[in-house]
Amino acid sequence: MSSQISPPSPTSAVPVVPRIWAVLAVAVGTQTAGSFVSQGIYILVPFWREAFGVSLASASLAVTVMNGVQIATMFMLGRAIDSHGERRIVGIAMLGMAIAMACAATFADSLLALLLCMAFLGGTYAAVQPGGTRAIMRWFPPAKRGVATGFRQAAVPFGTMIAAALLPFIAVQHGWHAAAWLSAAVSLAGAALFWGLYREGDDLAAKTERPLPLSKLVRTVGQNRNFWPALRLGIAMSAFQFTFTAHVISFLADGLGLGLFAASSMFAATQLVGIPGRILLPWISDRFRPGRRSQSFGRVSVIAASAAATLAALPLGTPTPVILLVLVGLGIFGIGWFPLYLLEIAESAPKGSIASTVAFASTICLAVMALGPYVFGLLVDHSGYGLAWSALVVPVFVTALPLAISSPSHPK
């Protein structure tokens, strides 16, 4: 790869294919860095609880504040990306994330100071998802967008895994301040990678069209017959995936009689198979079902909900290999669905409002992600796991089936 990635020339078709994979490598590296930092906040919560002498709920406010500000700023940053380009905004945002973690490491001598740093972190991380998606849409032809998005989205759990391996070790050996400095360094490397190597694509319409205001954007994307069905299913699947993530260990330990260690190990295996799932499923869609992305999204979601329903129906004492087999299915389909959804939303967007459209949809999904685990927990406390699992999978079935049986829709 050369020192920087320049946009493909209209008169030079041969170098385009190697160049787009170089773009993908930059996008994957940047997303990995962003995920390392943002998901690392979850991992550092126990260390902040001990450092500040507060309850677990109080320490967890770091996550709540980060996600809350991310929800509040994502659409604004999406419009900024559409107006000024993903290279500039994502590069600045990654630099902002590094500053937030450096400030936490240097000045956060109280929980309140830490929360202010986490608010700034969430407000800057909000640019990474819409910016990276816009880059894929502008550089990749429709036939390659699925696998490209799959690799980029696989960077999310990959970055999380690296953070889970490194941050606790650093925090135990050298204190949480050192772990925060490491996160700052990773974010700074991500900013340098994206700013230094990435260049805008040559899509003239995306460069010159102004992003639409929210009300007009909603009317415009709504003219695509698959947009609202895909968004509804994306909302249901967002609640499904993150509620499953939050509660499956407890369910395996209590509902199926596994110990916490076995339940945690099986959960880790579920997350691990989700990484190739995010690459394999969109590749299958690109390779064998071109023009049927929304239908593929619906069918993948039906399989994921069916696997969850099967898990919920397993009796106490079910053999471990059977449980693990169901969890593997949940990992592949219950985590691998996201690239298909993201592309369906992005391909519904006007050329000049790709990041704005992704940000609009992501804002709604993030809000549901925050509420889903709490509602599930309430249902378990008052009525048991049966009703809670039903409330989780029924909306997926209801919103997925119309897409699963729909006629093909061709990407732009």
Side-chain angles (χ1 to χ4, degrees), residues 35-98:
S35 298
F36 180 99
V37 179
S38 63
Q39 299 304 303
I41 303 307
Y42 293 79
I43 296 164
L44 290 174
V45 164
F47 297 95
W48 287 327
R49 176 191 183 187
E50 180 179 350
F52 299 124
V54 297
S55 67
L56 181 59
S58 296
S60 298
L61 285 174
V63 174
T64 303
V65 168
M66 179 186 69
N67 288 333
V69 176
Q70 183 181 356
I71 291 170
T73 59
M74 182 170 283
F75 183 73
M76 176 188 69
L77 287 171
R79 283 183 58 82
I81 290 167
D82 284 327
S83 297
H84 303 291
E86 57 267 26
R87 176 174 177 258
R88 180 183 302 175
I89 302 302
V90 174
I92 292 173
M94 294 291 292
L95 178 60
M97 292 174 66

Side-chain angles (χ1 to χ4, degrees), residues 178-368:
W181 276 116
L182 176 61
S183 292
V186 169
S187 186
L188 188 62
L193 176 68
F194 201 76
W195 187 270
L197 297 183
Y198 181 79
R199 292 296 180 267
E200 305 286 347
D202 65 345
D203 189 333
L204 183 61
K207 286 183 176 180
T208 57
E209 290 183 14
R210 293 181 60 82
L212 300 176
L214 180 58
S215 58
K216 188 172 182 180
L217 176 65
V218 171
R219 290 196 300 270
T220 302
V221 296
Q223 295 173 5
N224 184 306
R225 69 187 182 92
N226 282 328
F227 177 79
W228 291 114
L231 179 57
R232 286 193 291 268
L233 178 53
I235 292 169
M237 284 298 293
S238 295
F240 173 89
Q241 180 183 337
F242 282 84
T243 302
F244 170 81
T245 298
H247 289 284
V248 68
I249 292 178
S250 296
F251 174 75
L252 293 173
D254 300 335
L256 295 182
L258 301 177
L260 278 176
F261 177 77
S264 299
S265 299
M266 295 175 80
F267 171 74
T270 304
Q271 298 299 302
L272 185 62
V273 298
I275 297 176
R278 285 198 166 188
I279 300 170
L280 180 63
L281 294 180
W283 176 80
I284 291 174
S285 176
D286 280 352
R287 180 69 177 82
F288 300 106
R289 302 185 62 78
R292 298 171 183 249
R293 189 167 287 131
S294 61
Q295 190 181 76
S296 297
F297 176 34
R299 293 181 178 181
V300 164
S301 301
V302 168
I303 296 172
S306 299
T310 301
L311 181 68
L314 293 178
L316 186 67
T318 299
T320 299
V322 174
I323 299 173
L324 187 58
L325 180 63
V326 175
L327 288 173
V328 166
L330 267 166
I332 294 172
F333 296 97
I335 296 175
W337 65 276
F338 189 69
L340 295 170
Y341 161 70
L342 196 60
L343 276 177
E344 190 64 34
I345 294 298
E347 289 178 342
S348 301
K351 287 285 187 180
S353 299
I354 293 172
S356 300
T357 304
V358 172
F360 166 70
S362 297
T363 298
I364 300 174
C365 291
L366 280 169
V368 174

